[in-house]
Amino acid sequence: MSVGSIPRHAYRPYSTPALVAWIAIAGVVTYAAGPVLRHMEFAVIPWPLHGLAVAILFNCRERDRAWAAVALAVAIILGAGGHSGDWMRSITGTAQLMAQSIAVVLFHQWLADGRHPLRGALSYTWLAVVVLIGSLPTTLLATAIVQLIGPQIAPGYTMGAWWVSAVTSMFALTPILLAQSAPLRAELRTDNAWRWELPLLASVYAVALIWAFFEPGWFGFELPAAVATVPFLVWAGLRFGVRGYAVFAAMFAVTVIASTVLDVGPFGQFGSDPIVRGRRAWIYVASLAGPTMIFPLTLVERAVAEARARGAFAQLAAIIESSGDLIAAVDHDLNIIAVNPAWVRGFQRISGVTVRTGMRMDDVLESLPLDRDESVAHWRRALQGNRFTAMREIGDPALARDEFEITYSPVRDEHGDIVGASQVVRNVTDRRKQETAEAETRRLEALGRLAGGVAHDFNNLMTAVVGYAGIVAQSLPGQDPRQSDLAEIEKAATRAGELTQQLLAFARRKVVAPKVVDVGELVGGFMRLIDPLLGSTVRLNVRIGNDLPDVRIDPTQFEQVLMNLAVNARDAMPNGGELGVDVVRTRYRAGAGVRVSVRDNGIGMEPEVVARIFEPFFTTKPQGKGTGLGLATVHGIVYQAGGEIGVESTLGVGTTFHVLLPGADDEDEVVGG
């Protein structure tokens, strides 16, 4: 939509009753004004009818235009024939008037793309062009017809007189009558202007018009017509917009015509012929009232554009204020000219400083000595016209030091000159953590596929070793000393087979028998069984929440998960401590789920250890004390059940493992612990 334009629904055409009323008014005007304001001595169509007909056709709905044109023609014929008695000339004159009016309306709709003539300055300019030029073809055609048939069909007809009557009438009346349906805002002011200023100005204007055009001789001198009209019309347009101007223009037109008919005022000097006086008065009205309409149109159009710009700016400001990104801008001297609340909160969190507009960015960055120089350099680079993105860690290590993605851009004015710089900051710390976690998951999956393949082949080899060891043992006497060697071979092969089963569980290739279980009962029952195995120095604290959803998982494998986590927690507390197990309902993947948290207050782990904790064969225990497959197996079991496992650990404080499992979707038999 172009600047200053108004949606089409703001246009208010005539309703059907109003349209019928205006058509009736046209007939009455034709009958009453014909003898006085006709454009030639023997004319039957008065001058106002041209502008009135065009205004009525413009204010029609498109679906009403056809029947309205026919009804309007009938009304004008009746009015013209009624005052003249010459029905043939009334019909021919009306035909030319309607053809001319319809041509003007259609030509304007084509040029202005169907816009209302008072929609804006451009649309009104097209109306002026159409009135001056568009009425010529029908005038030329009518003149040719008169010449072919004979002057007796229209005595006294001249092309120039008819064209002048049409143009002046359209300039004088059409804008005034169209103002009430104009799609632009009717007034520039919405305060008390319409309550007291408009009536007051209209009263003064009425006095000035009477003084100038009826020449009462007040105060012993005459008021010039220009002084009585132009200042008031301009003031009305400036203060009250299109419709206010239309009111004053109508007062002006009525006063001029009335004074001329009564043979008083400035136009009385043009002789005793009322036709000559009326013609010149009408031209005067048209030359002043019509063109001056461009001023209120331009002003209102500008006011609408400014209001739209203010609204767009307010919306943009609201978007920036509510944005989760951190947005700030500085001028050439690094003075902060704009910051949104997210930037203020974010900077306060990492630096402890509250930022306000008007502060200098380089002074503000003094609170971050590790980052100041590089940040100022980036701002100055943007002020030189460069747009770039930087990835940086910023913040006071004692408060928070996060990773940010910062986009710097120069700010330019309407002439393209750089007047400042802006930055859009996005905290990517959580995103980086998520990316790291996803990469770790993919790495573990790759390790799982590798370990699963190796374990499968190794398990087949161990099965063969156990089998052949049994065959050899059966072939030897029972008291043969080699029986003990074969037993050790079989024991080692069986133990190796158990390791391969753990590897297969980590790789999620082990055959499982998932069932819908009550995790609360399963955890409560199993932890009671293993409580004696934890030792007397470890206190077990089990808390099971209410309203837990059922979970689909292999109960035996889930017990293995609990066993591994409990044993690891016990080993992390060599001097004793508390082993806590919490089971609560949680939101998981847009549905209900269960979170099982196993925590200890043991020695904790360093971040480097936490990053590798689920890798197969990775262990922190002394050689011979662990295989490094316990947590890898736990990871595989949990993910095979559709869940997730995470770990939080602080060195010297303790470790917590969180197992998230989705709720079951069916209603199978629930297996307890």
Side-chain angles (χ1 to χ4, degrees):
M1 186 180 294
S2 61
V3 175
S5 60
I6 295 294
R8 291 180 182 272
H9 61 73
Y11 164 52
R12 295 174 294 180
Y14 290 150
S15 62
T16 300
L19 183 57
V20 172
W22 275 106
I23 291 173
I25 290 172
V28 173
V29 170
T30 306
Y31 180 84
V36 179
L37 294 177
R38 59 184 182 271
H39 63 267
M40 66 193 79
E41 186 175 358
F42 300 103
V44 296
I45 305 299
W47 286 22
L49 259 297
H50 298 275
L52 183 57
V54 170
I56 291 175
L57 293 178
F58 265 126
N59 278 332
C60 284
R61 297 184 180 90
E62 290 188 7
R63 67 174 184 267
D64 296 334
R65 192 161 287 155
W67 71 261
V70 174
L72 183 60
V74 171
I76 295 174
I77 290 172
L78 293 176
H83 83 73
S84 67
D86 191 338
W87 294 98
M88 179 57 68
R89 289 171 55 230
S90 299
I91 293 173
T92 56
T94 302
Q96 181 176 355
L97 180 142
M98 292 304 302
Q100 196 171 49
S101 302
I102 293 172
V104 167
V105 172
L106 296 180
F107 192 22
H108 181 275
Q109 283 197 320
W110 176 66
L111 285 176
D113 193 25
R115 293 179 175 85
H116 191 278
L118 299 187
R119 188 180 186 185
L122 180 60
S123 187
Y124 187 67
T125 302
W126 283 124
L127 177 63
V129 171
V130 169
V131 167
L132 290 171
I133 300 175
S135 58
L136 283 175
T138 55
T139 304
L140 292 172
L141 179 61
T143 303
I145 293 174
V146 170
Q147 294 300 323
L148 288 174
I149 298 177
Q152 67 276 6
I153 191 174
Y157 173 85
T158 63
M159 185 183 74
W162 181 276
W163 182 78
V164 170
S165 69
V167 169
T168 55
S169 178
M170 292 178 196
F171 271 123
L173 276 185
T174 302
I176 296 174
L177 297 177
L178 287 176
Q180 298 308 311
S181 64
L184 284 173
R185 191 172 56 181
E187 67 280 342
L188 295 180
R189 298 188 59 185
T190 56
D191 52 13
N192 292 326
W194 285 98
R195 298 180 183 177
W196 62 268
E197 188 175 347
L198 179 62
L200 178 61
L201 186 62
S203 301
V204 176
Y205 185 44
V207 173
L209 288 175
I210 294 173
W211 193 352
F213 290 96
F214 287 91
E215 299 179 344
W218 292 336
F219 304 105
F221 67 93
E222 296 179 358
L223 184 66
V227 175
T229 54
V230 176
F232 288 94
L233 289 176
V234 173
W235 184 258
L238 287 172
R239 298 294 285 174
F240 311 117
V242 174
R243 293 175 191 151
Y245 172 85
V247 172
F248 281 68
M251 293 173 61
F252 164 64
V254 170
T255 303
V256 171
I257 298 303
S259 65
T260 304
V261 171
L262 297 175
D263 195 16
V264 295
F267 295 98
Q269 61 182 324
F270 293 116
S272 59
D273 188 350
I275 301 302
V276 174
R277 295 198 307 271
R279 185 183 305 168
R280 294 180 178 179
W282 193 246
I283 293 173
Y284 172 70
V285 171
S287 63
L288 188 59
T292 315
M293 176 67 82
I294 196 72
F295 294 108
L297 274 174
T298 304
L299 290 169
V300 173
E301 194 172 30
R302 179 178 176 181
V304 170
E306 291 176 349
R308 183 171 289 110
R310 288 193 299 270
F313 181 81
Q315 290 178 347
L316 179 61
I319 292 172
I320 294 175
E321 289 288 308
S322 60
S323 174
D325 291 339
L326 287 63
I327 302 173
V330 300
D331 61 13
H332 266 300
D333 298 323
L334 291 181
N335 294 313
I336 299 175
I337 58 176
V339 285
N340 70 340
W343 199 98
V344 174
R345 291 193 301 269
F347 193 84
Q348 186 176 30
R349 187 176 67 84
I350 64 174
S351 69
V353 175
T354 302
V355 179
R356 298 182 300 275
T357 55
M359 301 173 69
R360 286 182 59 87
M361 183 62 74
D362 48 356
D363 293 339
V364 167
L365 292 171
E366 291 286 353
S367 59
L368 299 174
L370 296 177
D371 310 302
R372 180 190 182 281
D373 293 341
E374 189 174 0
S375 295
V376 172
H378 284 166
W379 278 109
R380 297 199 184 281
R381 181 181 169 190
L383 288 170
Q384 293 172 358
N386 298 299
R387 187 181 189 277
F388 60 96
T389 300
M391 301 293 299
R392 299 183 55 204
E393 284 190 356
I394 301 177
D396 185 346
L399 296 175
R401 189 165 180 85
D402 292 346
E403 186 174 4
F404 296 94
E405 179 184 79
I406 310 173
T407 300
Y408 292 88
S409 303
V411 177
R412 302 179 185 272
D413 60 13
E414 64 272 15
H415 305 295
D417 298 328
I418 297 176
V419 296
S422 67
Q423 69 170 197
V424 178
V425 184
R426 182 165 295 176
N427 192 324
V428 296
T429 304
D430 292 337
R431 189 179 76 188
R432 287 285 186 251
K433 290 180 180 178
Q434 182 179 358
E435 291 174 352
T436 301
E438 291 175 353
E440 179 67 14
T441 299
R442 290 193 296 269
R443 189 170 68 87
L444 290 175
E445 288 177 351
L447 284 173
R449 286 192 295 269
L450 175 62
V454 173
H456 186 271
D457 294 338
F458 188 72
N459 188 61
N460 291 337
L461 294 175
M462 290 300 101
T463 301
V465 170
V466 172
Y468 281 110
I471 293 173
V472 173
Q474 291 177 359
S475 66
L476 295 176
Q479 301 302 321
D480 194 308
R482 288 173 295 181
Q483 287 283 2
S484 60
D485 297 333
L486 291 173
E488 289 298 325
I489 292 174
E490 188 173 354
K491 183 190 297 183
T494 302
R495 185 179 177 188
E498 292 174 353
L499 290 177
T500 60
Q501 292 300 314
Q502 289 183 297
L503 280 174
L504 289 172
F506 169 72
R508 307 178 214 172
R509 292 190 180 184
K510 187 176 180 180
V511 177
V512 297
K515 298 178 181 179
V516 177
V517 299
D518 185 328
V519 176
E521 290 188 12
L522 195 61
V523 170
F526 186 74
M527 296 309 294
R528 284 194 297 271
L529 289 177
I530 67 171
D531 188 10
L533 303 177
L534 299 177
S536 59
T537 60
V538 176
R539 299 183 306 278
L540 179 64
N541 182 11
V542 180
R543 294 183 296 185
I544 299 176
N546 299 321
D547 194 24
L548 298 175
D550 297 329
V551 171
R552 177 179 288 278
I553 195 171
D554 187 320
T556 302
Q557 285 199 333
F558 186 68
E559 290 176 350
Q560 185 178 355
V561 169
L562 295 174
M563 174 65 78
N564 284 340
L565 294 178
V567 169
N568 281 347
R570 180 201 64 188
D571 294 343
M573 298 182 291
N575 298 321
E578 181 178 280
L579 170 61
V581 181
D582 299 329
V583 185
V584 297
R585 181 187 182 95
T586 188
R587 185 84 173 166
Y588 183 61
R589 294 179 182 173
V594 174
R595 184 178 73 240
V596 180
S597 300
V598 179
R599 68 183 186 280
D600 64 67
N601 54 2
I603 59 178
M605 294 180 287
E606 297 176 346
E608 295 79 7
V609 175
V610 173
R612 302 184 58 192
I613 196 66
F614 296 114
E615 290 184 13
F617 305 113
F618 176 79
T619 181
T620 59
K621 296 178 181 179
Q623 187 174 2
K625 295 294 184 179
T627 63
L629 288 174
L631 291 177
T633 302
V634 169
H635 183 277
I637 293 173
V638 171
Y639 273 81
Q640 191 171 21
E644 296 178 11
I645 184 170
V647 58
E648 299 174 351
S649 184
T650 302
L651 199 62
V653 176
T655 302
T656 302
F657 285 89
H658 298 288
V659 177
L660 295 173
L661 296 172
D665 294 329
D666 53 31
E667 298 180 357
D668 293 346
E669 181 181 356
V670 179
V671 180

